[in-house]
Amino acid sequence: MTEQLPTRSQVLQACRAEVDVDHPILGAARELAVLHERKLVTIHENICGIDEYRAKQVRDIDRWVAVNLPVPHGGAYLHTETVGAILDRLAQLTACANAAGASEWDIWFAWERLAELAIGYEDLAAELAAGRRRLPNRR
């Protein structure tokens, strides 16, 4: 039996800690957002540990996707990034959009990029569920 990816609204709410994370992908998205928030206030020498844990979260997301989503059709188009990479970028943009001390332009730009990426995520989720897209390294 296959499962579905969370909606873009659920992912964005998880990144902002506004929803219970009852789905493994939402829990990982929340953790990625926390890690990106930490990176914004951490001194340079300590960032490597945060990035290593982020990479683990991305791998865990991608493993969940590989096991739980339907196998794509033989002619499915290849997407350029994994779901884990996309959720990592969504978490990063959420942290940047909520960061204190940014200029109005930086905040507007971060929210605009976040909105566009969230729409792209939801489109990809629908195509993956229908088997019309495949992901890198997916068997």
Side-chain angles (χ1 to χ4, degrees), residues 24 34 44 80 86 116 122 125 133:
V34 167
H44 181 69
T80 58
I86 293 168
E116 289 173 350
E122 193 157 72
R133 281 277 176 185

Side-chain angles (χ1 to χ4, degrees), residues 36-123:
H36 280 289
E37 290 165 4
R38 285 187 194 150
K39 276 186 75 169
L40 292 173
V41 296
T42 300
I43 58 172
H44 181 69
E45 292 81 26
N46 296 329
I47 289 178
C48 288
I50 292 172
D51 286 342
E52 287 175 15
Y53 192 65
R54 277 185 38 244
K56 180 192 176 308
Q57 292 297 313
V58 169
R59 278 192 311 272
D60 289 349
I61 291 168
D62 292 336
R63 287 176 181 151
W64 185 93
V65 168
V67 170
N68 290 283
L69 291 187
V71 176
H73 302 298
Y77 290 105
L78 177 65
H79 193 71
T80 58
E81 337 177 62
T82 67
V83 172
I86 293 168
L87 292 179
D88 186 49
R89 287 195 304 131
L90 278 170
Q92 178 186 26
L93 290 171
T94 299
C96 290
N98 291 321
S103 71
E104 282 187 40
W105 168 252
D106 290 337
I107 292 170
W108 177 86
F109 189 66
W111 281 109
E112 188 72 17
R113 289 175 43 210
L114 179 61
E116 289 173 350
L117 183 58
I119 291 168
Y121 161 79
E122 193 157 72
D123 290 346

